[in-house]
Each structure stands twice: as structure tokens, then as C-alpha cells.
Amino acid sequence: MLKRRSVWFLLFGVPSILATMVMITPHLVARAQDQASWTIMFYSTADTSDIEEPMILDINEIEWVGSTSEVNFVAQVDRTDADPSWTDARRFLLEQDDDASFVTSPVLESLGEVNMGDPNTLVDFALWAAVNFPAERYAIVFSDHGGGWTGLGWDLTDGSDQLTMPELDEAFAQITGALGQRFDLIGFDACLMAQLDVIQMLAPYADYAVLAEETEPGYGWAYDLSLPGLTQDPSIGPDDLGRLLVDGYYYSYHDGAFAGSEDRYDLNLFDLSLVPEVEAAMDSFIQVAAANSGDVLGAVGNARNNTTFFGGRTPDEADAFSSIDLIHFLTLLADISDNSEIDQAAQELIDATSGLIVYHQASDSMSNAYGLSVYFPSNESVYADYGYNYPVEVSYMEGWQSFLGTFYGEAAAAVPPGSLSDEQVISIEGVYPGDVVSIHQPPVVLFDTNGLNILEVSFSATLQLDDGTLITLDQSALESAEVTESGESIVSFPDGFQQHQFVWGAEMPLVTDGIASIPTLLLSDRNDPDSQIVSGYYITQDGETVTAYLIFDVETQAMVGVWGVSEDGGAPFNLKPQPGDQFLPTWRFFDAEGNLVLEPASYAPLTFGSELFAYHFEPAISGTYLFDIRVEDIAGNVYLDSTTITVDNEALDFNYRGYTDIDLGLNFLYPWNWPAPVYLLNDDGSSQTIISDAEENINIYVTAYDSASNDDILNAAYGYLDFIEDVAYDVADEEVVTIWGYDGTIIPYTFTVDGDPHLGLVLAIYVPDLETGFLVDLDTIESMADEGEVAFNTMIGSLNFFMPPEVSAE
């Protein structure tokens, strides 16, 4: 489940005016006369069914530490009716106990049902806590769902009302005004809150803040690990307390009780006194960008498109958050741009932002997340759909809003909607080998693009059933790689005419619960290439349905997590499957206008049990398929071209699949359970394809050479063998074979690697129609010689050659 918000207010003493504003609980009068070192307030909106359980666990974690004479842990907790014994809002001084199941601290006040999304409720609690538990320093932690600038703390019982940025601004102003001082620390134990749009609102009211860029794992902050450091040394300042909170959180998911349960997590400590420096650097950057908007348009678009973004565990909702890492964006922009002014302005903003981030801890998978994000929708349409209230909610971000307006305006001017037709931008030239394809003869789609400021090109293969049902079984982004000055590989498409090709394996993924399987679509996680995502609906045993996404590890193909989507618009949250809960994938396709359509799969749902869900691939269902090539440009314009082909996978040997090289005119079979072949272009101009089993104990190398005769390629084979250390072969053992009508020679040989014996076979064959010679070389460890020879013989027995299709010219 996702995380809740937690805000820490650090107050430095309670002026006597508060005594006239807040009624002091009678039995706490004696305690109110004693001033502690710290009072930490926990504002816990557990009136949220999907994360109520871990939020109550948080309260138990705090009780495990317990208040002391120098540290007060004060909480206001509002609950749903899931636990009939406690459904109202209550206030506690959390005292030490070892019971992890029940909150045993005395209830100081029962408030009945309150709206935790009302800023007046927050003000009342903070001032009550400050009067009844005075201290030299104060902190407040907000705990619930978070959504960046859209707010946090959705109260389910009160119409999912939440605390917005203007409401938090109002509440903080009232509290600090009454106290006559800033807070020491504000913390949000919630998702997606480490956003410049949030930081700028917090800056006038606190010295430090603790916030996460990414969605938080379900159990959020580790209070039992971080708070003992405070009770053991109450003299520490807010910066040290912030480090304790960050370290406890990081340790819990990296080394502690939840190690391995999540692969994306971060937490960051900010020195809010440095926000003015960031604001000044941001203003300068915006001015430079506006003055050079036409020159840097493409660089801004490419940088934004390749920047690490957050909330992407639910890819269909990623646009709703549009939260990207600020430093990563600026770094890419400086790398891509040729404008020295924008480069300098970007670097100055990077330097200011880096100073603001005092302490940062993140999982290894978040190497390009530096601690602070910013709201940046990909195009004007996304901004209009999800950010229409942005200017009102964060009016203090007027400069950044101006930057977004300039970017969208320049993008629309560069490629106005309707200025280019689909035919002008994208054109499918053909599909090899023709109208009928299979897993043995996988289709190669040849197409051209001729656009400006293209950000994304993607391919999809959609099965068309007789009843009209459409099922997309492959949807892949085509990569056009560019390496930046700093060495990062990004997706970037040149302007103008470009030729492309895409190979589809004529296969389909299926998700299984160990008993039943459902064909579905695997979605790529752009932030994490080691993950695949399946969209669908999570169904609890009591019939509640939640839009959800299964996360799978690419290497093991096993499920590693489930993320749900809040109906109230909050960030995604962890779901913890219980035996008997179910999941139904969605079938997806693009309509004629390029809009995404999702429908429930027409299968019985899969059921969670003792066995983890997994996915695997099978030959695609035979039938008619629609191939779509989809292009999206910097302005959000979408261009489509489509063609229809037939897949016939009937009566084929499913132990093998085909590999086709459209440029060389070569097709062959290799074992189904082997990884996909790897293509290399060698320094000498030759090309090489490597096919290996999963352990790389059996390797087959296919190398192409410009040759003029059989003797040429045979001599190349001898030179190739002589280059191998400890090689032994005898020309008397050579075998002449005929493949696809061409004569070739197979040479057996042996060699050793680190003392281990290896066996090899190399086929040398010249194809005069292609004016190309090929070496097909088997290298296998001796113990797997039989299996290697079967794969080799099947491969060369299936070899077929063809004239590469002619490609179009501009």
C-alpha cells in the first residue's frame, strides 16, 4: 500500500496567547507546565481503507519507542469503520509498549468523526498539542496518501476531502502566527511529495522538511528504527532528526525487515532556508529559456521525455502525476542543448537545487533520481486534462507555469495540430515475409517516418477476433538511441526522413496463477527495464474492485508486487494479496484516433494462492492481426499507420522459433527457451549474430562477410579457427553439405578454455545471390555436446536465404 503523509512541525516554545486560544485538557494541566525538548505531532488520516492497516502499525511502531520526559509523541488518528471497536478520531500521547497489534496508549480525547482534510482540523490539533505538550522544538508528520502539488490526506468518510496546498498554506500560517515562530521540521510520510511545487509552499513555515520523490512502499517510514535516536539524545537538532528518519526508512527496505520487498524507494532531507536561492536560480533559468525558446525547444522536449519520472508503477496514471526529477531534467537538457546560455542557467539551477537537498537516500534502481521533482506534463493536452487547477493550487509557481506555457506554445507552433497528415509522417512500406507469418517466419515490419520533433515511435500487434474483440498482445516502444555528453543513453529521433524496421516474434504473453492462464499485454516500465507490468482489476474476497497493476521481474518472470490506484486521485498504493483475492487483466488497444481503450479480459479472474503469479510466452493465437505504428511528437500530436497480416502457428514445432535478419536476407530456427539473439557490428565491417542458451554453455555465432566465392569464405573459416587458442582440427574431417541449394563445408574442431574442453563445428557457406559468405560456428562445453549439436543441426537445416526487400527512398 502507498504511503501516508506525515508532517513534522518543530515549534520552539509556546507563547501564552495559546492558552486563550486552546482549551487545555484538565488532566494534562500539570504536564503542560513542563517543557520537553521535543514534541512531535502525528497527523494520521487512517480514514483511508487501502492503507489503514499499515498506518495503525505506524502508531504501534511509535508506541514501541514511546514518549519520554524529554520527547512527546502526540497523535491524532482518524479511522474508517473497518475495525468496529474504533471508527472515530482520537488523540493520544503515545506511551511505550511492546504490543505491535493494538494501540494501548490512553485516549486523551475522542473527537467523534472529524474531517482530516479540513485545514481547521489540522490547526486545532497542532495548537492543542503545543499547549498540552510544550517543548523547545516541535515537529508534525502527516501520514496518508500523497499526490505532490494536488495535496494529501484524503478522508474517506468526508467525501475524500484532502488538504490542498492552499489549505496547508493557510493552516501553517495560522499555527506559526499563533506560535510566533517557524517550525523546525515538516515531514510527509506520503507519496510523491518531494516536489518543488510543495517545497516552495513549505519554505516560510519550517527550517527542514523530509519528503519522498517516488511512491512510498506500503509500510512507509520506519519509526521503530528512526525515533530511538531521538529519545536517546533529545538534544539533537532538526537536521540530525531528518537524517535519522531518512536512514531508518532506507534501512528498512534495503537491509531490514522489508529488504527485497520493493525496488524503488527514496527519502530526502531539505534545508528550507535555501529555497530562496533555488527560486532565484529558477527565475534566471526561466528567463534564459524564454529568450531562447525556439532554439532549445527540441532539447527541452527530448530532455523531458527521457527524465526519470515518478508514480510510473501505474503507467496509465503516470500523466496524472507528471512528476519528473528536476536535476536529471536539467542535466539532460545541458547535455542535449547546443545553447551555452541555457547550459549555464541549467547548471546554476542544478547547483542551487543540490544545496537544498541536504541528505538523500534511494534504492539502486533510482540512480537518476536526485531528491527533488517538479510538475512537468509532457504536452499541452496532458496539462489541460490533469493540470487545469495547477495555476490556482500553486499560484506561487507562476514562473514555472510561464515556462510550461512557453514550451507548449513553441511546440504547437513547430507542429500545429492538423498541419501534417498521418501519411506525411508515418508510412508502412511492407511486411516480410508477406501476408502470412508464424513463429518460424516472424514478421519484419518496414516503415518510414518523416516528422519534426518526434518523441516516441511504438509498434503494436492486435488480434482481431471474429466477434469484434481486440486484444493487443505486443506494444513496444522503438528505441533510437543517442549518447549524451555525460555518457547517458537516451531515446532521440532525428528530424526528417528515417527508415525503420521492427521484428515481432508472433508470440504472446500469458499471466498464470499456476492453474489458469490469460493472454495479456506486458507493459514496459520506463524507469526500470528489469520490470514488466500488467494492468487489470484487483478483486477482494468481499467483492471490492480496484484498478491495479501487477509488477513482474523480467529475469524470473515472477510477480514481485501489486499496485492499486486510488479513486480519490491520490498516488498509487501497495496491495498485499490475500489467498482468495483475484485479478483480472485488461485487454488493451488503440482506436482509430490513437486513443487507448481498456476492456476486462473475457476470462474468469486469476486467484491468488500459495503460488506467485508468473508470466510466460506461447506462440500467438492464429488469426488476423492489426499492426499499428504510432508516432507522437513534442506537441502531443499522434500519427498512425496500420496494416493487416495473418498469423498461422498451426502444426509447427513449438520447441523452436525463427530469427530473421532482413538486411542480410537470412532466416533460421533456434530453441524456443533460449534468449533472443544478439546482433553486433564488428570493427572490420562484418556483422555477427550470437545465439546462446540461458547459461551460455552453448553458443552459436553467425558471421557475415563480403565474399566472392566459396574459397573466400572457406579461407575465412580457416583464419577464424587459427585465431582460437589451443584449437585442433583436421581438414580430413570436413563435410560438404548443401543448404538451400548452396554448397557449404562443415569443419569439426576442439579447443580448451581455462583447461575445460570445448567442441566446435563451423559451417562455411557462400550465397552468390547475396554476394555474401556466412560462418555459422557452434561452441559448446564438452558435457553439452549432444544438445549443442542438435541445436546446430536444426539451425543449419532450417537456414533459408532471400533477397532483402527494396527499401523506399525519400
Side-chain angles (χ1 to χ4, degrees):
M1 311 186 175
L2 263 269
K3 212 20 194 223
R4 17 337 177 352
R5 313 52 224 302
S6 314
V7 182
W8 299 69
F9 297 133
L10 301 174
L11 318 176
F12 310 117
V14 185
S16 59
I17 187 175
L18 290 183
T20 66
M21 298 177 59
V22 182
M23 181 175 292
I24 301 176
T25 304
H27 69 277
L28 293 176
V29 172
R31 181 64 181 272
Q33 296 171 352
D34 300 326
Q35 188 178 63
S37 296
W38 279 91
T39 289
I40 299 184
M41 311 169 197
F42 296 90
Y43 193 75
S44 179
T45 308
D47 205 346
T48 308
S49 59
D50 46 45
I51 57 171
E52 180 178 12
E53 179 183 349
M55 290 176 69
I56 297 304
L57 177 60
D58 281 350
I59 301 300
N60 277 287
E61 289 178 355
I62 300 165
E63 280 190 324
W64 183 83
V65 181
S67 300
T68 68
S69 60
E70 290 297 322
V71 178
N72 299 311
F73 298 134
V74 185
Q76 178 167 308
V77 184
D78 189 18
R79 298 194 65 176
T80 69
D81 58 4
D83 181 355
S85 67
W86 173 15
T87 64
D88 59 347
R90 299 180 179 183
R91 289 174 174 170
F92 303 88
L93 173 66
L94 298 173
E95 298 179 350
Q96 200 283 324
D97 75 42
D98 297 328
D99 189 332
S101 301
F102 298 96
V103 177
T104 60
S105 298
V107 178
L108 303 185
E109 287 192 7
S110 293
L111 304 177
E113 176 52 44
V114 299
N115 181 4
M116 298 285 278
D118 185 339
N120 294 318
T121 303
L122 169 59
V123 172
D124 182 68
F125 167 62
L127 297 184
W128 172 88
V131 168
N132 287 280
F133 302 96
E136 296 176 19
R137 300 182 183 276
Y138 293 86
I140 186 169
V141 177
F142 293 89
S143 183
D144 187 27
H145 287 300
W149 65 268
T150 63
L152 77 163
W154 283 262
D155 190 316
L156 186 67
T157 309
D158 291 277
S160 293
D161 191 16
Q162 87 270 23
L163 292 167
T164 64
M165 291 301 109
E167 288 176 334
L168 286 169
D169 192 10
E170 173 192 345
F172 293 160
Q174 288 189 44
I175 298 167
T176 55
L179 295 174
Q181 59 194 16
R182 291 158 52 90
F183 303 126
D184 290 282
L185 177 73
I186 294 176
F188 294 103
D189 187 0
C191 297
L192 305 174
M193 299 304 289
Q195 206 175 53
L196 182 61
D197 319 74
V198 176
I199 288 282
Q200 285 199 210
M201 183 276 297
L202 294 178
Y205 307 114
D207 292 337
Y208 290 87
V210 175
L211 313 166
E213 274 192 290
E214 185 55 283
T215 49
E216 290 190 357
Y219 290 100
W221 293 7
Y223 298 102
D224 53 336
L225 299 180
S226 56
L227 294 182
L230 176 63
T231 56
Q232 292 165 13
D233 184 6
S235 67
I236 64 173
D239 53 340
D240 289 328
L241 174 59
R243 291 173 185 272
L244 287 173
L245 292 168
V246 171
D247 283 340
Y249 177 85
Y250 177 76
Y251 179 85
S252 67
Y253 295 105
H254 191 267
D255 302 294
F258 302 117
S261 65
E262 297 294 337
D263 61 350
R264 288 185 66 80
Y265 47 89
D266 75 293
L267 200 59
N268 312 277
L269 172 66
F270 299 91
D271 182 348
L272 299 182
S273 70
L274 298 177
V275 167
E277 295 183 18
V278 175
E279 291 174 338
M282 176 64 85
D283 288 342
S284 296
F285 170 78
I286 291 168
Q287 291 174 17
V288 172
N292 298 275
S293 57
D295 292 340
V296 301
L297 172 65
V300 170
N302 270 336
R304 192 266 175 236
N305 191 51
N306 285 278
T307 297
T308 293
F309 64 95
F310 307 103
R313 286 302 199 187
T314 58
D316 298 323
E317 287 74 31
D319 280 345
F321 304 114
S322 292
S323 188
I324 68 168
D325 188 86
L326 179 57
I327 291 179
H328 190 210
F329 165 70
L330 294 168
T331 301
L332 288 175
L333 177 59
D335 277 353
I336 298 170
S337 167
D338 293 327
N339 185 294
S340 59
E341 291 184 66
I342 201 74
D343 294 353
Q344 181 178 346
Q347 188 57 56
E348 289 173 356
L349 183 50
I350 289 172
D351 294 341
T353 304
S354 299
L356 174 69
I357 305 165
V358 177
Y359 192 51
H360 164 76
Q361 289 276 40
S363 60
D364 294 341
S365 63
M366 295 180 62
S367 59
N368 286 321
Y370 295 93
L372 183 65
S373 64
V374 70
Y375 181 63
F376 193 166
S378 57
N379 57 60
E380 190 170 23
S381 177
V382 174
Y383 189 33
D385 287 343
Y386 297 105
Y388 56 88
N389 208 31
Y390 184 63
V392 175
E393 294 292 305
V394 289
S395 57
Y396 45 84
M397 293 286 288
E398 183 179 0
W400 182 251
Q401 292 162 18
S402 173
F403 169 80
L404 294 179
T406 300
F407 170 67
Y408 300 141
E410 289 286 352
V415 277
S419 62
L420 296 174
S421 66
D422 287 9
E423 292 79 9
Q424 288 174 291
V425 177
I426 174 69
S427 175
I428 296 177
E429 298 300 317
V431 178
Y432 178 85
D435 294 336
V436 180
V437 300
S438 69
I439 58 167
H440 287 185
Q441 291 278 351
V444 182
V445 184
L446 304 174
F447 66 98
D448 302 333
T449 58
N450 191 12
L452 299 174
N453 294 303
I454 292 174
L455 294 184
E456 181 177 302
V457 180
S458 61
F459 163 85
S460 60
T462 302
L463 173 65
Q464 300 175 302
L465 300 182
D466 293 339
D467 63 1
T469 300
L470 299 175
I471 310 173
T472 299
L473 296 176
D474 194 354
Q475 181 178 306
S476 305
L478 278 65
E479 295 188 1
S480 177
E482 173 186 333
V483 178
T484 68
E485 290 181 3
S486 60
E488 182 173 349
S489 180
I490 63 171
V491 176
S492 179
F493 293 91
D495 289 342
F497 181 81
Q498 299 290 321
Q499 296 175 325
H500 309 267
Q501 59 179 258
F502 181 82
V503 181
W504 180 52
E507 61 186 9
M508 64 182 184
L510 294 94
V511 175
T512 178
D513 59 9
I515 299 175
S517 298
I518 300 178
T520 187
L521 175 67
L522 297 176
L523 303 173
S524 298
D525 185 341
R526 240 183 58 191
N527 279 332
D528 184 4
D530 296 326
S531 295
Q532 296 275 23
I533 301 172
V534 171
S535 67
Y537 301 100
Y538 187 94
I539 308 164
T540 64
Q541 294 178 64
D542 60 8
E544 181 182 359
T545 300
V546 177
T547 298
Y549 298 80
L550 306 180
I551 313 299
F552 292 89
D553 179 85
V554 169
E555 182 176 356
T556 65
Q557 298 185 344
M559 190 187 80
V560 294
V562 187
W563 288 79
V565 178
S566 299
E567 293 182 6
D568 52 32
F573 56 90
N574 277 147
L575 286 164
K576 302 299 181 185
Q578 302 299 315
D581 291 350
Q582 295 182 314
F583 182 85
L584 181 64
T586 46
W587 285 343
R588 313 159 64 91
F589 59 93
F590 289 111
D591 63 16
E593 287 73 42
N595 300 309
L596 180 65
V597 179
L598 289 83
E599 294 182 352
S602 57
Y603 280 67
L606 303 173
T607 302
F608 291 99
S610 58
E611 186 172 335
L612 287 175
F613 283 11
Y615 73 83
H616 63 276
F617 287 91
E618 292 183 1
I621 298 170
S622 295
T624 301
Y625 283 76
L626 181 68
F627 281 4
D628 283 326
I629 302 294
R630 183 177 187 272
V631 174
E632 183 170 344
D633 66 25
I634 197 170
N637 301 311
V638 173
Y639 309 90
L640 287 171
D641 196 18
S642 304
T643 190
T644 301
I645 57 94
T646 298
V647 171
D648 184 3
N649 279 330
E650 304 301 316
L652 297 179
D653 184 351
F654 291 166
N655 292 309
Y656 293 90
R657 68 178 75 202
Y659 173 81
T660 300
D661 189 315
I662 198 76
D663 298 314
L664 294 177
L666 174 70
N667 172 266
F668 57 80
L669 299 182
Y670 67 98
W672 173 270
N673 59 355
W674 284 19
V678 176
Y679 177 84
L680 300 173
L681 185 62
N682 299 321
D683 292 339
D684 62 2
S686 64
S687 63
Q688 186 174 64
T689 300
I690 305 173
I691 310 97
S692 306
D693 67 346
E695 294 76 25
E696 297 185 355
N697 291 322
I698 303 173
N699 301 282
I700 301 175
Y701 306 91
V702 181
T703 309
Y705 296 88
D706 288 332
S707 301
S709 66
N710 280 318
D711 288 342
D712 281 349
I713 192 63
L714 191 57
N715 288 331
Y718 294 140
Y720 172 81
L721 291 173
D722 291 339
F723 185 74
I724 300 174
E725 188 175 351
D726 297 328
V727 71
Y729 64 91
D730 190 336
V731 294
D733 296 330
E734 294 177 358
E735 177 186 0
V736 177
V737 295
T738 300
I739 297 173
W740 202 253
Y742 306 108
D743 290 337
T745 303
I746 296 177
I747 308 170
Y749 66 97
T750 62
F751 66 106
T752 60
V753 177
D754 297 329
D756 296 326
H758 282 238
L759 302 179
L761 294 170
V762 61
L763 165 69
I765 188 169
Y766 173 65
V767 182
D769 293 342
L770 301 177
E771 296 182 353
T772 303
F774 295 92
L775 296 184
V776 182
D777 174 39
L778 167 69
D779 160 19
T780 176
I781 60 175
E782 189 175 47
S783 61
M784 300 190 70
D786 291 343
E787 184 178 340
E789 284 197 48
V790 170
F792 178 79
N793 289 331
T794 301
M795 178 179 173
I796 64 172
S798 66
L799 269 173
N800 63 85
F801 304 97
F802 57 90
M803 289 299 296
E806 293 185 6
V807 295
S808 63
E810 185 177 5

